[in-house]
Amino acid sequence: MVLLGLINSTLHTLVLNPLFVLVAFVVPALKSFRALEHDDDRLRNEMLMYWALFGVLYVFEGYIQIILLMIGFPTLAYSLLKAASVVVLQKHAKQAFEAIQPHLSKHDEQLDEKLGMAKELSVKAGQQLAAQSVVLTSKLVDASKKVAAQVAALQAAQEKQREKHSGAAEAKPETKKDK
């Protein structure tokens, strides 16, 4: 069972993840560059639809994965399904976009409002994290200075001990054997 898990994990890491990155990101990115470079409106629209739909899919991907794994859907099969869905999305982006677009248009104002709220929340969260990191960094610097001072004090004490021992060995009185 452990061996099967190791094989599954290795296959996922070494084969399926790179395959997904290639299919989902690299190929569409190259097609997008080509569309911009050659001023191809048809390909540009197709790739814009792909990226918009990929973004929507990516937002819900975590939830979809949790649900599928909870019902016992195998991880390997999920990875293959995810790669296949991206390929299908690339081939049929226009049809998928046309199916979703009326729903998005219907809720356009609400989506803009929610996006604005999300932006405000993320800015506030970012500011709070930045402030906390400044405080924590300051505390870390102070703690580092204290540790450095303690290390320096210990090194000085050790040096005094060595000097004391070496000085005591040199000042040792001569014995009858030494004469």
Side-chain angles (χ1 to χ4, degrees):
M1 191 67 158
V2 172
L3 182 61
L4 184 61
L6 181 61
I7 291 170
N8 189 11
S9 175
T10 303
L11 179 65
H12 186 72
T13 302
L14 296 178
V15 176
L16 294 177
N17 275 347
L19 176 67
F20 180 75
V21 168
L22 180 70
V23 170
F25 294 102
V26 176
V27 171
L30 291 173
K31 285 173 109 176
S32 298
F33 284 123
R34 190 176 305 131
L36 294 170
E37 191 175 75
H38 298 292
D39 201 27
D40 185 343
D41 287 339
R42 184 196 58 76
L43 186 56
R44 189 179 308 142
N45 287 340
E46 183 181 309
M47 295 315 301
L48 189 57
M49 285 184 245
Y50 168 79
W51 288 116
L53 293 169
F54 181 80
V56 170
L57 186 66
Y58 192 76
V59 166
F60 293 107
E61 191 254 337
Y63 302 108
I64 294 168
Q65 183 179 18
I66 290 169
I67 291 167
L68 289 176
L69 294 176
M70 285 175 60
I71 62 172
F73 202 76
T75 306
L76 184 60
Y78 171 74
S79 296
L80 292 171
L81 177 67
K82 186 167 84 167
S85 67
V86 169
V87 170
V88 169
L89 184 61
Q90 286 178 17
K91 299 287 184 202
H92 303 287
K94 184 175 182 180
Q95 294 90 338
F97 185 80
E98 288 172 352
I100 293 174
Q101 196 266 337
H103 302 289
L104 293 176
S105 294
K106 183 178 174 182
H107 302 286
D108 198 34
E109 287 181 22
Q110 294 169 333
L111 289 171
D112 285 344
E113 182 182 321
K114 298 295 182 192
L115 287 172
M117 290 169 51
K119 182 180 176 184
E120 287 177 26
L121 287 173
S122 65
V123 166
K124 286 180 184 177
Q127 290 169 340
Q128 288 175 346
L129 285 173
Q132 289 173 351
S133 68
V134 167
V135 170
L136 290 175
T137 301
S138 175
K139 288 180 180 182
L140 183 61
V141 167
D142 290 344
S144 296
K145 287 178 181 177
K146 288 178 184 177
V147 168
Q150 290 173 346
V151 167
L154 284 173
Q155 288 174 336
Q158 287 175 340
E159 187 60 35
K160 281 186 182 181
Q161 281 288 30
R162 276 191 227 120
E163 288 174 5
K164 185 177 177 182
H165 285 301
S166 66
E170 291 175 9
K172 197 180 202 183
E174 291 183 22
T175 59
K176 289 182 184 181
K177 280 186 176 179
D178 293 336
K179 288 183 182 180

